Amino acid sequence: MTLDAPPTPRRTRAGAILVGPSWRARWVPFVALGAPILTLVVTPLSAAVLQQLGVPEGWSWLLGPLTVWALLAVWAALLLGLAVRVVFEPTTRRLQRWRGPLRRDEVGIDRVVWAIGGPGRGDAARIGLEVPGEPVDWWVGSIGWDDAAFDGLRALQDAAHLPVDPPRSQLAARARALRRTDAHRAAAERVGMPWREEYAHDERAFLAEYDRVRRVLGGLEPALPGDPVRPGRAHATTLDP
């Protein structure tokens, strides 16, 4: 299958393709951003605990946050290290599911009948397998964590001869555009503004017409045929001489 943008997934040291994010890709942002924020929240408590243990006040305000940050970093590493991960071995064409250092399941790539996932960071992927007995689904968390994580799913789709999704960035941009269009539709409906399909592709045209309709409803601009009318305006007009 020829792809316009071939997937570039992460690989293990042995060369296997990692479907989804690596533990390091999720751990580093937490240690760099999440853990410091949590550390600041509990800094007074950690400093107070160290002072109760006999640590001088000045040192307690330094060692307390460092201790909390280190504990959070270790806790996150253990939690992510024990999470389920799915890898694909291109040489043997086998799909494996691991939990921590233990391999739980393994099937041939020919058993994969579908594989889907969303581009959002918190979106999950589901891999449908046709195995003896009954169909089985494998779940991969945070498949849209970054481009490389999503490319692991795309590489799996390609290897299984399934339709390959566009790159994550394209899907994310498409999802944002759909959300923006839905918001514009709702805004137009609130003011009684007729919706045109061109607005889905031309935001400037929508905003220009939306602002004009709002000025009409506010009495700042004369209405055109087909424009919505302010509540009470039509009745008041019949009383004008």
Side-chain angles (χ1 to χ4, degrees), residues 30-103:
F30 174 78
V31 171
L33 298 175
I37 294 175
L38 294 175
T39 298
L40 290 176
V41 174
V42 299
T43 288
L45 178 61
S46 62
V49 170
L50 290 180
Q51 290 174 31
Q52 291 293 326
L53 295 176
V55 178
E57 181 177 357
W59 281 102
S60 67
W61 285 94
L62 174 63
L63 296 178
L66 290 177
T67 302
V68 172
W69 176 85
L71 291 174
L72 288 173
V74 172
W75 171 79
L78 291 175
L79 188 64
L80 293 173
L82 294 176
V84 174
R85 71 183 191 279
V86 175
V87 298
F88 169 59
E89 284 281 359
T91 54
T92 61
R93 295 187 60 79
R94 305 286 291 178
L95 192 65
Q96 303 171 350
R97 181 167 60 172
W98 295 69
R99 179 178 290 278
L102 302 178
R103 184 173 60 193

Side-chain angles (χ1 to χ4, degrees), residues 8-211:
T8 55
R10 289 187 181 88
R11 293 179 178 268
T12 65
R13 294 182 179 179
I17 293 174
L18 186 61
V19 182
S22 65
W23 75 270
R24 180 180 177 84
R26 300 180 65 186
W27 181 77
V28 170
F30 174 78
V31 171
L33 298 175
I37 294 175
L38 294 175
T39 298
L40 290 176
V41 174
V42 299
T43 288
L45 178 61
S46 62
V49 170
L50 290 180
Q51 290 174 31
Q52 291 293 326
L53 295 176
V55 178
E57 181 177 357
W59 281 102
S60 67
W61 285 94
L62 174 63
L63 296 178
L66 290 177
T67 302
V68 172
W69 176 85
L71 291 174
L72 288 173
V74 172
W75 171 79
L78 291 175
L79 188 64
L80 293 173
L82 294 176
V84 174
R85 71 183 191 279
V86 175
V87 298
F88 169 59
E89 284 281 359
T91 54
T92 61
R93 295 187 60 79
R94 305 286 291 178
L95 192 65
Q96 303 171 350
R97 181 167 60 172
W98 295 69
R99 179 178 290 278
L102 302 178
R103 184 173 60 193
R104 296 295 187 181
D105 304 285
E106 182 176 0
V107 296
I109 191 65
D110 59 308
R111 296 292 186 178
V112 178
V113 292
W114 52 270
I116 58 175
R121 273 204 156 192
D123 289 342
R126 292 178 62 192
I127 303 171
L129 305 175
E130 189 178 54
V131 297
E134 60 182 18
V136 175
D137 292 354
W138 284 4
W139 178 85
V140 182
S142 302
I143 193 65
W145 184 262
D146 54 19
D147 291 345
F150 194 78
D151 275 356
L153 176 65
R154 298 178 65 228
L156 173 64
Q157 293 169 338
D158 188 29
H161 305 293
L162 299 173
V164 180
D165 288 333
R168 186 190 70 91
S169 57
Q170 294 184 19
L171 292 178
R174 189 181 304 170
R176 288 193 299 269
L178 289 175
R179 289 194 297 269
R180 185 166 56 247
T181 297
D182 290 342
H184 289 169
R185 281 181 179 272
E189 184 177 354
R190 283 196 297 269
V191 299
M193 169 183 161
W195 179 262
R196 300 175 184 172
E197 289 304 321
E198 65 181 283
Y199 296 153
H201 310 286
D202 191 342
E203 186 175 18
R204 290 185 177 180
F206 167 78
L207 293 177
E209 181 65 7
Y210 181 69
D211 288 342

